[in-house]
Amino acid sequence: MTFQEMIEESSKIVFFGGAGVSTESGIPDFRSEDGLYRQKYDVPPETILSSDYFFSHTEEFYKFYRDKMLPLWAQPNAAHKKLAEWEREGKLLAIVTQNIDGLHQKAGSKRVYELHGSIHRNHCLKCGKFFSAEEIAKSSGVPKCPCGGLIKPDVVLYGEPLDEDTVRGAIDAIRHADMLIVAGTSLSVYPAAGFIDYFRGRYSVLINRDATPYDDRCDLVLHEKVGKVLS
Ligand code: NAD
């Protein structure tokens, strides 16, 4: 059976994606050849993007974060657009994403479970005041709230738990899906990668440039670019 036929026969598709969904928008992923983890830093990005580092080296965290994690110029690509179209047509139940860039919403998608949070939400740790990603991008040094509190992005850093409601919604959607598309993810970040095990539907498809641990377990494997396949 072809990918196209599976799509046509499905009405409750769930898309589970990762950083590879946004590389065609110009945002590097973490683990590919040209990914962020292959670049040379004095402190590894895995360390910088941890909760401990955020609180102990806040200024250095923000220097890296502003430089590498705020691609506010990026636009949705063919994959983001097709998924938004499927949702409008009533074929797509939800998107479960590990991405934090907000490009699915920018493309028009509504039911998006952001397992690792979003750069577009930032809050003061003292009074809870909201700040946009643009405000963080424009700030310098350590961004502070007018109340004096430290502002933290609502991005799940290493060492932090996932948001319970988001996890519940994501697992529920995967459980009720008749088709699961896993794309643009190395499936190496847990617990997120484990959520696809809740799928009980008919068709499972993997679209990823490199091989993943899911290749042997799904109905169809496409080692291609996700934007190209979806368009
Ligand atoms: P990853 O970097 O570990 O893996 C990305 C995978 O996508 C690779 O296996 C690669 O082969 C594949 N890939 C890259 N471009 C592709 C394309 N055009 N088409 C198909 N496949 C492609 O990413 P991950 O599994 O999502 O885990 C990394 C973590 O990093 C996530 O938790 C995420 O929060 C974070 N992250 C997010 C962004 C973003 O929001 N855009 C960017 C980088 C990292």
Side-chain angles (χ1 to χ4, degrees):
M1 197 172 209
T2 65
F3 182 54
Q4 181 76 40
E5 286 164 346
M6 290 178 182
I7 298 284
E8 278 162 15
E9 285 199 9
S10 304
S11 56
K12 285 187 270 176
I13 301 170
V14 167
F15 181 90
F16 181 96
V21 176
S22 292
T23 54
E24 287 164 84
S25 293
I27 306 175
D29 62 12
F30 277 177
R31 293 176 183 82
S32 290
E33 285 285 284
D34 44 2
L36 207 55
Y37 285 4
R38 305 283 176 102
Q39 297 172 18
K40 290 276 163 274
Y41 294 98
D42 294 342
V43 181
E46 298 94 311
T47 305
I48 300 177
L49 296 172
S50 69
S51 175
D52 283 351
Y53 197 84
F54 175 81
F55 288 106
S56 62
H57 296 77
T58 315
E59 189 158 356
E60 290 91 332
F61 170 92
Y62 266 113
K63 195 165 175 288
F64 178 89
Y65 183 81
R66 272 193 215 95
D67 193 26
K68 299 288 176 191
M69 308 299 289
L70 285 175
L72 300 181
W73 42 263
Q75 294 301 325
N77 62 48
H80 300 105
K81 288 178 191 164
K82 180 56 79 176
L83 293 166
E85 191 183 310
W86 284 346
E87 184 180 10
R88 280 195 299 275
E89 290 169 356
K91 286 189 85 60
L92 185 116
L93 201 58
I95 292 169
V96 179
T97 184
Q98 301 166 84
N99 291 349
I100 55 176
D101 55 34
L103 287 184
H104 287 297
Q105 289 90 336
K106 206 168 185 177
S109 289
K110 304 279 183 244
R111 276 186 307 279
V112 185
Y113 295 101
E114 296 174 306
L115 295 175
H116 295 158
S118 173
I119 57 170
H120 295 284
R121 295 185 297 271
N122 305 272
H123 288 96
C124 168
L125 292 178
K126 201 166 152 197
C127 74
K129 185 173 158 55
F130 173 89
F131 295 88
S132 68
E134 287 74 13
E135 287 173 283
I136 302 298
K138 271 192 243 138
S139 66
S140 57
V142 175
K144 289 276 178 68
C145 178
C147 85
L150 171 63
I151 301 170
K152 183 179 178 296
D154 286 0
V155 162
V156 179
L157 300 174
Y158 289 107
E160 290 180 340
L162 307 192
D163 176 71
E164 275 180 35
D165 289 342
T166 309
V167 168
R168 213 172 295 124
I171 291 178
D172 196 52
I174 293 170
R175 265 205 190 113
H176 287 95
D178 56 5
M179 176 169 181
L180 179 69
I181 303 173
V182 177
T185 171
S186 61
L187 290 174
S188 50
V189 178
Y190 278 81
F195 296 165
I196 58 176
D197 294 338
Y198 287 96
F199 179 62
R200 296 282 173 268
R202 265 192 303 181
Y203 307 122
S204 52
V205 179
L206 178 103
I207 312 168
N208 205 63
R209 239 171 26 197
D210 299 305
T212 78
Y214 198 49
D215 289 26
D216 299 334
R217 291 167 40 210
C218 58
D219 301 316
L220 185 65
V221 177
L222 301 165
H223 283 159
E224 306 211 33
K225 285 188 167 184
V226 58
K228 186 178 152 227
V229 173
L230 292 199
S231 61

